[in-house]
Amino acid sequence: MPPRRAITGRSQEPRQRFVEELRLRRAQKGDSLRQLGDALGWDWSLFGKMESGQTLGSPEVVQALDQHYGTPDLLLTLWELAAGDPTQFKERYRRYMALEAEAVSLWHYGVSILPGMLQTHGYASEVLAAGGIKGEELTRQVEARMGRRELLVGEDAPPFRTILSEAVLRTSLEDAGQWRKQLESLAEATERPNLTVHVLPHDSGPHGLVSTDVMFLRLPDGCTVAYTENAHHGELIQETGSVERLQRAYDAVRDLALSPAESRKFIMRMLEEVPCDPSI
C-alpha cells in the first residue's frame, strides 16, 4: 500500500507540527508574544521559545493556550504526541504535578540533588541518565523537567524557598563545564526576588529530614500538601497531621541552615573551585 499523502501540507513530524499549530493559532488570534504573555500570565519569552521549538513548555501552559484559542485539547494532544509519551510523568507524580502548577508558594529541602525547577539542561541530563533513563525517554524527561522551570519565571511567579544540604553542592557532575553552568545558574537564582536559597552545612548535625527530599505546596484554598521522595519512591501527603509534622521538621532544618546571604557566598566559593577550563 502506498504511503498516505499528506492532505494539509503541514509537517508530519510531531514536534514541528506542534510548533506550526502554535504559530498558526496566534496569527489567527492576532496576538503579539507580549500580548499572549499578558493574557495568560506567563513570561512572553516562554511562548517565543515554544514557537521556535526550543522547548515544548509544560502541559499546564498548553492547556491555557487551548483555552485562550478556543481549541479544546487540540494543542494538548499535539503536545503529547510531540513529547512522545502522554504519560511522561509517571503515574505517582501526576497528581503532584497538577497541584504544583496551582501552588501559590513552594518550599523545599534537598538531600543530594537540586530541585527540578532549578536544574539546568546539562544537570538534568546527567542526573536522569544516572538513574538509568536512556535514549528518547531521556530526551522526553529532560524536556519535561525544563518545562517545569517556567513555573518560577515571570512577574506572577510564586515564591519558592529551597534548603540544600551541602551534599547537593559537593556532588559535582562528571562534566565540569556543565557543573560550572549549573552553579552559575544557581548563583543567579539567589538574586531573583521570588527565590530564597539556603545551604545546610555538613556540620549542622542530625535532623528530622536527614534522608528525605520534601516539597511543600501552599494551594489557593490555603491548604498545604507535601511530596516526599527518594531514589525509588515518591509519596504525595495530604493528611493534615502528617503535613504538619513534616513542616515542623522543615522549620527546624531552616533554623540550622545558613542565611540567604551566607548561602550565596557558599555557592560562590563552590563556583571558584571549578576550573574555568573543564580540561584542567
Side-chain angles (χ1 to χ4, degrees):
M1 178 180 295
R4 182 179 65 84
R5 180 174 61 85
I7 297 173
T8 63
R10 298 178 188 174
S11 176
Q12 301 301 297
E13 194 278 314
R15 190 183 185 101
Q16 185 58 33
R17 176 71 179 83
F18 176 64
V19 167
E20 288 176 357
E21 196 67 34
L22 290 177
R23 293 170 179 166
L24 174 64
R25 295 297 168 175
R26 184 168 64 84
Q28 290 177 339
K29 188 80 170 180
D31 288 338
S32 68
L33 288 171
R34 290 187 182 276
Q35 288 171 330
L36 186 59
D38 290 342
L40 298 186
W42 275 279
D43 190 275
W44 66 270
S45 63
L46 168 61
F47 300 109
K49 292 176 182 177
M50 290 172 69
E51 290 188 15
S52 66
Q54 295 179 56
T55 181
L56 290 175
S58 68
E60 293 75 27
V61 172
V62 179
Q63 286 175 321
L65 286 168
D66 263 330
Q67 183 175 358
H68 180 69
Y69 293 137
T71 54
D73 293 336
L74 169 63
L75 294 175
L76 185 60
T77 298
L78 292 174
W79 179 88
E80 289 175 344
L81 291 171
D85 181 3
T87 58
Q88 63 167 324
F89 300 115
K90 295 179 180 179
E91 189 59 34
R92 67 176 183 265
Y93 298 121
R94 294 182 68 82
R95 176 60 179 156
Y96 168 77
M97 293 302 300
L99 294 174
E100 183 182 85
E102 300 173 6
V104 296
S105 63
L106 310 90
W107 55 107
H108 163 269
Y109 172 69
V111 174
S112 58
I113 65 171
L114 289 162
M117 289 182 287
L118 294 182
Q119 293 180 12
T120 61
H121 191 283
Y123 185 97
S125 296
E126 193 163 316
V127 167
L128 290 169
I133 301 174
K134 302 177 181 178
E136 293 183 2
E137 177 64 14
L138 177 61
T139 300
R140 288 194 292 268
Q141 291 288 337
V142 171
E143 194 71 58
R145 190 159 293 187
M146 293 302 97
R148 290 176 63 198
R149 289 167 53 95
E150 302 301 333
L151 180 67
L152 301 180
V153 175
E155 294 181 359
D156 297 327
F160 176 59
R161 180 187 302 273
T162 182
I163 304 172
L164 303 174
S165 167
E166 183 175 337
V168 175
L169 301 176
R170 296 290 181 186
T171 307
S172 59
L173 300 178
E174 291 185 8
D175 186 327
Q178 291 298 331
W179 180 232
R180 168 170 283 278
K181 289 180 181 179
Q182 176 62 78
L183 289 176
E184 289 173 341
S185 177
L186 184 60
E188 291 171 2
T190 65
E191 299 179 337
R192 289 161 57 182
N194 63 313
L195 300 185
T196 304
V197 179
H198 298 272
V199 174
L200 182 71
H202 281 321
D203 60 8
S204 298
H207 55 82
L209 297 177
V210 69
S211 61
T212 305
D213 278 306
V214 60
M215 178 77 84
F216 296 94
L217 308 176
R218 177 65 56 81
L219 303 176
D221 63 3
C223 293
T224 298
V225 301
Y227 187 82
T228 60
E229 189 173 30
N230 60 34
H232 306 288
H233 178 72
E235 181 181 5
L236 179 64
I237 300 172
Q238 297 177 276
E239 193 273 321
T240 301
S242 298
V243 173
E244 288 180 350
R245 284 192 292 274
L246 281 169
Q247 283 189 276
R248 286 196 293 271
Y250 183 89
D251 289 343
V253 171
R254 187 172 62 182
D255 289 343
L256 296 171
L258 300 178
S259 70
E262 293 170 329
S263 297
R264 175 174 170 76
K265 291 178 182 177
F266 189 101
I267 294 167
M268 297 306 294
R269 288 197 299 272
M270 294 296 302
L271 186 54
E272 290 172 359
E273 296 178 11
V274 183
C276 293
D277 181 352
S279 65
I280 294 176

